[in-house]
Amino acid sequence: MHRSMDEPTGPVELFGARSHPAVSREYAVPDGDGAPLPDPAVLTALLHRYGWQRRGGAAGRYSRWSPPGPAAGASLLVPESAAFPDAEDLLAEALTALSRSAAPSARDILVSLAVPSDEVRWWREVPESAAGAAGAWGWAEADELRSAARQILLAGALAARGRAGYHGARHRRKARAALDGTLIGPAPGGRRLTAFVPVESGRAVAVQLCHALHATREAVDYQRATGGMEAFDSAVAAGVSRELTEALVALVRGTEGAGIDVRWAPAAGTPDGCPARPAPVEFSPGDLPALRSAGARYLREEPAVPVRITGAVVRLRRSGPRGAGIVRLRVLAGAEVAHVRVELDEEAYRIAGHAHLVGLPLRVEGRLERRGGFRRLTGASQVAPVQVDEAERDRLMKSLQENVDFFEEACAGEEPL
């Protein structure tokens, strides 16, 4: 459904996050019950980051800041330190002015103040249309940018979980959970976008993404200069993966160039092992062949993984009343994937069917194949039901009863896996 042009354009949730307190005006107006006020140094750093201009003030006591742009609007008075007697009043007035400001950056500053957040910024260079010059933007362009931004953040979260040239379906649930609370601001013109990644839950993601982006840039430069792909092999240790290269392709495709900038939350300081101000990373259409080749290389060379999986049987299918069949397991332990597909011989398939009927999970050993995103288990052996406590068994039986139609159709060979 298309969004009305009259709807608010404040920060929105990225991965099912809760509404951020800074999107409401009330955050900027303390209610007298001890509402926290920001550190003046943090507010000053954010104003400077977003291009506000310092225009005088009383030296050593407060500074005056005006928003960027020709129509500057109201200025803010920010105390130099919270130790001055009128510091709280000045900060409250500054937050109120920010909440009422028409400057596009004012709301972003409030978001960063409400919860310390590292910022990840994307931009794309695309030819401006007549509609864009008039202040409108294409739905497709804005959607492409948001989609690429989501993929890039998810690639960073996957790398924070573990290094791999190709993650597939592995670690995705926990990677998405690490992005809970992440917000994105509006994307005017489909050209720029900012994500606010809370330090408390997402700093590891921001740090890993920063390392991975710079390693990707270096590997692309090496490939374009020498024709060799070796740099992409060593870049896996920095978090580079097929997921990241594909996301960068999506970001750059159809543009004249694109870039990503990571900035640390002033309230949390610079993370260990990172520069205080990481350089922006830019990519051009000329980088696309190297990125695509690297993605194909990662997919081709990621090895299968030996695993011992415990899972609940949710689907069974075979072509006739006898012989081998295919089983789908909802993974409970043993692998960082949600479901796997396993081909079993006749005896093992019978065991799986009985386990399903009585509500017991199944344990099976095999190799988790990269084909299909690590959702397929080959060489299955040691197939056996697993005893569980009564509470877990009741839960599994309830799940079976809710999906009994699927089970009956699967046994008849009519339900594809």
Side-chain angles (χ1 to χ4, degrees):
M1 182 173 68
H2 292 276
R3 180 188 292 258
S4 166
M5 294 183 70
D6 296 328
E7 291 185 22
T9 58
V12 298
E13 300 167 6
L14 183 59
F15 280 101
R18 295 171 296 177
S19 297
H20 202 294
V23 300
S24 64
R25 180 170 296 179
E26 287 73 19
Y27 168 77
V29 186
D31 56 13
D33 296 329
L37 291 169
D39 185 332
V42 172
L43 177 55
T44 299
L46 288 169
L47 291 169
H48 183 267
R49 172 180 294 181
Y50 280 91
W52 288 57
Q53 302 296 316
R54 182 168 181 166
R55 303 186 186 279
R61 292 186 61 82
Y62 64 84
S63 54
R64 183 180 296 276
W65 294 81
S66 297
S75 60
L76 310 178
L77 290 180
V78 181
E80 295 287 342
S81 167
F84 293 114
D86 60 348
E88 288 191 4
D89 292 337
L90 288 177
L91 284 171
E93 291 171 4
L95 293 177
T96 300
L98 276 174
S99 71
R100 296 172 178 171
S101 174
S105 59
R107 192 172 291 270
D108 291 344
I109 294 171
L110 287 175
V111 170
S112 296
L113 288 173
V115 176
S117 301
D118 297 321
E119 298 175 21
V120 184
R121 301 180 178 185
W122 295 264
W123 67 89
R124 306 172 90 210
E125 298 174 7
V126 294
E128 187 172 40
S129 63
W137 59 88
W139 179 271
E141 288 82 359
D143 190 57
E144 287 171 0
L145 177 56
R146 290 195 178 206
S147 176
R150 289 187 182 96
Q151 293 177 53
I152 289 170
L153 279 180
L154 183 59
L158 287 168
R161 292 292 309 167
R163 311 294 189 274
Y166 175 49
H167 295 278
R170 296 177 294 173
H171 308 294
R172 284 187 177 261
R173 284 180 292 186
K174 292 183 178 179
R176 288 185 179 277
L179 295 171
D180 283 350
T182 299
L183 299 177
I184 55 174
R191 292 174 173 81
R192 292 185 178 272
L193 192 65
T194 301
F196 301 90
V197 184
V199 170
E200 185 176 351
S201 60
R203 166 144 284 191
V205 175
V207 170
Q208 192 58 67
L209 181 60
C210 183
H211 291 320
L213 288 170
H214 283 86
T216 304
R217 180 67 265 174
E218 293 172 3
V220 169
D221 290 340
Y222 180 86
Q223 193 280 333
R224 295 189 67 176
T226 67
M229 298 293 292
E230 308 88 75
F232 280 104
D233 296 337
S234 58
V236 172
V240 184
S241 64
R242 173 180 170 83
E243 284 76 11
L244 180 59
T245 57
E246 285 188 321
L248 291 172
V249 168
L251 178 69
V252 177
R253 187 175 51 227
T255 73
E256 297 173 355
I260 307 167
D261 190 11
V262 179
R263 299 194 178 188
W264 312 121
T270 303
D272 294 339
C274 296
R277 179 64 182 91
V281 183
E282 298 184 355
F283 296 91
S284 70
D287 299 325
L288 291 177
L291 291 170
R292 290 189 176 109
S293 296
R297 182 185 181 92
Y298 287 142
L299 177 61
R300 183 174 61 250
E301 296 190 358
E302 185 67 19
V305 182
V307 292
R308 188 185 190 192
I309 287 177
T310 301
V313 180
V314 293
R315 297 279 176 88
L316 298 104
R317 179 173 65 88
R318 61 182 174 184
S319 57
R322 296 187 179 279
I326 296 174
V327 173
R328 188 181 186 194
L329 300 178
R330 177 167 55 84
V331 177
L332 304 175
E336 284 284 348
V337 293
H339 295 86
V340 294
R341 184 180 185 223
V342 191
E343 185 171 357
L344 301 175
D345 60 29
E346 182 173 357
E347 177 61 19
Y349 186 85
R350 182 185 62 79
I351 294 172
H354 287 170
H356 186 67
L357 286 171
V358 298
L360 289 177
L362 202 67
R363 180 175 293 135
V364 56
E365 297 181 7
R367 295 180 64 81
L368 204 58
E369 293 287 344
R370 59 175 171 77
R371 292 180 302 163
F374 293 96
R375 296 183 180 93
R376 183 192 302 269
L377 195 71
T378 60
S381 63
Q382 307 300 316
V383 179
V386 179
Q387 293 296 327
V388 295
D389 59 41
E390 287 300 322
E392 178 66 10
R393 180 168 178 168
D394 289 344
R395 188 183 67 81
L396 290 170
M397 286 298 292
K398 182 179 179 181
S399 176
L400 165 63
Q401 291 165 4
E402 291 173 350
N403 296 278
V404 66
D405 291 341
F406 288 119
F407 174 68
E408 290 173 351
E409 292 173 7
C411 288
E414 299 173 3
E415 176 70 17
L417 209 62

